[in-house]
Amino acid sequence: MCGLMGFVAKQELTSSRIEQVRQAMTCQRHRGPDDTDVVTDARACFGFNRLSIIDIEHSQQPLRWGPADDPERYLLVFNGEIYNYLELRDQLTTQFGVEFQTEGDGEPIVAGFHHVGPEWVQQLRGMFAFLIWDSREQTLFGARDPFGIKPMYYARTPDGYGFSSEAKSLRELTGPAVIEPATLQHYLVLQYVPEPASMDDHLHRLESGCYFTLTSDQEGQQFTQTRYFEPQFDSRPVKGEAEQQELYASIRSALEDSVAKHMRADVTVGAFLSGGIDSTAIAALAKQHNPDLLTFTTGFKTDGYSEVDVAAESAEAIGVKHFVRWVDEHELFETLPLIVWYLDDPVADPALVPLYFVANEARKHVKVVLSGEGADELFGGYNIYREPMSLRPLTALPDPLRRGLGAVSRALPRGFRGKDMLRRGAINLEDRYYGNARIFREEQLAGLLNSYDPAVSFRDVTDEIYAKSADWDPIARMQHVDLFTWLRGDILVKADRMTMANSLELRVPFLDRDVFEVARHIPASEKISREQSKIAMRRALDQIVPKHVLERRKLGFPVPIRVYLKDDYGYSWARQVIADASTDQWIEPQAVIDLLDEHRRGDADNSRRIWAVLVFMLWHDIFVAETRSVEVPRPDYPVEL
């Protein structure tokens, strides 16, 4: 686990670029406080900050590797973990006679690339973003894991290409952030910046499940991206109790194997425990491998906004030692600018805050935690996935009649019961579903966003995704959209940034290719019903997860911003952010104040919309205007816990 950076010059590497890389590595010191190094050759420079998890003493990076006739041909920087690295090492030794110099999981990446080529990435089971410089061919190869667990930013400059785990490091090369209006509009609708874009128009992100090559010729540098992982849901009917039990057994087996491999480390591994089935299942399975497992949760002392009691009950039921981190209102607002600094791109998900604090607590005890991200997308866990079932009486009607019902919905007064159901039933799935987060509807931005463009649509993001699933059932299509939008844009961004902010490695056993291979075949009837979600997963784990958790609705780490933005402190804090912001070019401040006042009066719950705008304002003033300074704590942890 680490923060990495690389720069490949068009021609000769300059001393100023080397110094910029060195300086840039300090911006992501939190990603790897255990070790740091910068290595250069005539055209390339690579920096690395290491959080040592496996082979602590011998797997320092950048790692030089090569065959016997050219032992320093390659240079590797690698962020992540390869969970099947032991099996890959055996495979490479048996098939190619590779003699390894370390005991770590990075060396099999570069050795496999040498012997197999780019397709070796298909063999990697884990979370990763890496760069391999081939000094003989003067080419760079890089890849990112199938689901986008670990980040990879890149930027094209006049004299070369830069790559980094964090955007703020690349800004040492590109300067202050520059906003692209369409990207801002997408953010306000979706609450995150959809890949491959960044809110900073200078920067881009290598997409999940892709690798790239950077080559040079007489015309300059050529960057080529290739998708190697194309997730496809292929629902297969389950006939009879025997096939049903076989499905449940395959899910259980895949999860048991994934958790076992995710427990591989030379340091103590803990687990987040929110009180829902996903995190509880992971913790219960992890306990089988570590009887002394530590679990962590967080909560707010506001009625309805804490699962601390349920999490504690779960911890007692599975027999683990449990730690709780309480967060108060002042901490939430005062820490938000620092959290936005760690984010790199704005994400308007309030769950970032408790996640930051529970990670901070966990890092006092462990260096690695397991968590339950990805279960909802793979097994059908979101309530919105019930919508095709509830709308079926409307969507089954002939198109002219559906359009008529849509006209009726528009004529009904605001707040009329059934108005929104008629509206949504009158439109196709591609027009009504654009991921598991919707903050502003596009037409609501006209008076708020000064750069609002009605020609910009969420369909610019989702059409290409939907085109790949035209003949799938609607639940599978929604899951597929979420894999490419909500999961990699919000869930995994906040998981990576908030844990790495605390020099803590987060592992997500649900997001494993072998688990996905089982989950993608689950039929819709085993995913969701009118009463329950993740049906097959619940049945598969009914002997593992405590009964009080098995059937309950998940809250996760809920955040009481709806309450806080109404009271004196939260309201005043928000008004001050709006007053201080230098975002008038983009946001109409009075429109935000109107939303805030309407919320405080109780006329509407505008909390999520207000929060999205406030996060953008903070991000803008930190990274664009550079008018807001953030005091970033220096990581100071022992190498081993």
Side-chain angles (χ1 to χ4, degrees), residues 51 54 83 116 133 191 194 221 249 272 316 319 348-349 375 393 416 431 455-456 470 519 582 592 617 640:
L51 179 67
I54 293 174
Y83 302 119
V116 179
W133 173 246
Q191 88 168 9
Q221 292 175 301
F272 286 157
E316 184 177 2
D349 188 340
F416 189 90
D431 288 309
V456 174
S582 54
V592 190
M617 287 177 163
E640 295 184 68

Side-chain angles (χ1 to χ4, degrees), residues 113 117-118 132 138-143 161 163 206 210-216 221-226:
F113 173 73
I132 298 175
Q138 296 286 284
T139 62
L140 184 70
F141 177 80
Y161 273 84
F163 302 85
L206 180 66
C210 290
Y211 64 73
F212 75 88
T213 55
L214 181 66
T215 59
S216 300
Q221 292 175 301
Q222 306 299 322
F223 180 92
T224 305
Q225 178 176 290
T226 302

Side-chain angles (χ1 to χ4, degrees), residues 206-518:
L206 180 66
E207 288 198 64
S208 60
C210 290
Y211 64 73
F212 75 88
T213 55
L214 181 66
T215 59
S216 300
D217 57 29
Q218 292 181 345
E219 298 180 359
Q221 292 175 301
Q222 306 299 322
F223 180 92
T224 305
Q225 178 176 290
T226 302
R227 173 159 293 284
Y228 70 85
F229 179 67
E230 192 69 74
Q232 296 188 357
F233 287 91
D234 179 20
S235 301
R236 297 177 182 175
V238 175
K239 300 176 182 178
E241 184 176 350
E243 288 191 9
Q244 196 174 49
Q245 293 303 318
E246 184 179 345
L247 171 64
Y248 302 159
S250 65
I251 293 171
R252 186 165 51 250
S253 176
L255 287 174
E256 288 172 343
D257 178 67
S258 180
V259 170
K261 287 184 168 56
H262 280 69
M263 291 292 289
R264 289 176 172 174
D266 293 337
V267 296
T268 304
V269 178
F272 286 157
L273 189 59
S274 69
I277 185 175
D278 305 339
S279 62
T280 306
I282 296 301
L285 290 168
K287 172 71 160 52
Q288 298 175 6
H289 301 277
N290 178 12
D292 299 321
L293 185 76
L294 306 180
T295 59
F296 308 90
T297 195
T298 185
F300 295 86
K301 293 182 178 179
T302 303
D303 290 345
Y305 290 92
S306 175
E307 285 197 319
V308 166
D309 292 343
V310 180
E313 187 179 351
S314 299
E316 184 177 2
I318 62 179
V320 296
K321 188 175 182 180
H322 190 57
F323 297 84
V324 177
R325 174 63 157 88
W326 293 101
V327 183
D328 63 34
E329 179 182 7
H330 287 239
E331 280 186 307
L332 184 151
F333 289 117
E334 290 172 5
T335 311
L336 187 58
L338 174 63
I339 287 173
V340 171
W341 184 86
Y342 283 122
L343 275 175
D344 275 334
D345 276 304
V347 177
D349 188 340
L352 285 157
V353 178
L355 184 55
Y356 173 83
F357 283 108
V358 74
N360 184 265
E361 177 63 31
R363 188 56 175 87
K364 299 173 185 176
H365 308 274
V366 298
K367 292 181 80 170
V368 180
V369 289
L370 307 186
S371 190
E373 281 81 357
D376 292 316
E377 289 79 6
L378 267 61
F379 291 95
Y382 293 123
N383 290 331
I384 190 65
Y385 292 162
R386 292 192 177 100
E387 189 181 65
M389 189 185 310
S390 62
L391 292 180
R392 192 172 298 146
L394 300 175
T395 56
L397 295 172
D399 287 347
L401 187 53
R402 289 174 62 200
R403 288 194 292 270
L405 291 175
V408 170
S409 75
R410 290 190 292 274
L412 293 173
R414 180 181 177 183
F416 189 90
R417 186 174 181 180
K419 174 183 172 70
D420 197 54
M421 185 174 183
L422 286 176
R423 180 186 69 83
R424 295 180 68 77
I427 57 181
N428 295 326
L429 178 65
E430 293 88 341
D431 288 309
R432 71 173 186 262
Y433 188 72
Y434 40 99
N436 196 47
R438 289 162 288 188
I439 304 304
F440 288 93
R441 285 215 290 265
E442 288 166 337
E443 62 270 21
Q444 294 174 323
L445 293 174
L448 172 82
L449 182 61
N450 291 327
S451 60
Y452 173 66
D453 181 354
V456 174
S457 168
F458 68 87
R459 294 199 59 162
D460 301 337
V461 176
T462 60
D463 273 358
E464 185 176 346
I465 305 169
Y466 271 122
K468 298 175 181 179
S469 67
D471 58 347
W472 301 0
D473 71 78
I475 295 174
R477 301 190 78 193
M478 295 166 80
Q479 290 175 274
H480 187 242
V481 165
D482 278 340
L483 286 182
F484 283 94
T485 55
W486 174 243
L487 178 69
R488 71 180 188 178
D490 178 293
I491 297 293
L492 295 178
V493 170
K494 73 173 185 273
D496 172 78
R497 305 306 192 274
M498 294 302 94
T499 51
M500 284 280 89
N502 291 285
S503 304
L504 179 73
E505 175 175 299
L506 182 80
R507 298 182 177 183
V508 283
F510 282 111
L511 291 178
D512 175 85
R513 288 188 68 168
D514 286 11
V515 174
F516 176 76
E517 185 58 30
V518 174

Side-chain angles (χ1 to χ4, degrees), residues 83-92 257 261 264:
Y83 302 119
N84 63 335
Y85 76 101
L86 294 175
E87 292 81 358
L88 295 180
R89 289 168 68 94
D90 289 344
Q91 177 183 339
L92 290 165
D257 178 67
K261 287 184 168 56
R264 289 176 172 174

Side-chain angles (χ1 to χ4, degrees), residues 90-148:
D90 289 344
Q91 177 183 339
L92 290 165
T93 299
T94 301
Q95 190 171 354
F96 300 107
V98 175
E99 295 183 4
F100 290 96
Q101 305 303 311
T102 73
E103 299 296 325
D105 59 335
E107 197 174 356
I109 298 175
V110 63
F113 173 73
H114 171 74
H115 287 285
V116 179
E119 290 306 310
W120 178 248
V121 72
Q122 297 278 13
Q123 303 294 318
L124 305 180
R125 187 176 171 185
M127 56 179 183
F128 53 84
F130 64 80
L131 302 171
I132 298 175
W133 173 246
D134 184 343
S135 61
R136 180 187 296 178
E137 299 295 330
Q138 296 286 284
T139 62
L140 184 70
F141 177 80
R144 194 166 169 223
D145 64 71
F147 298 102

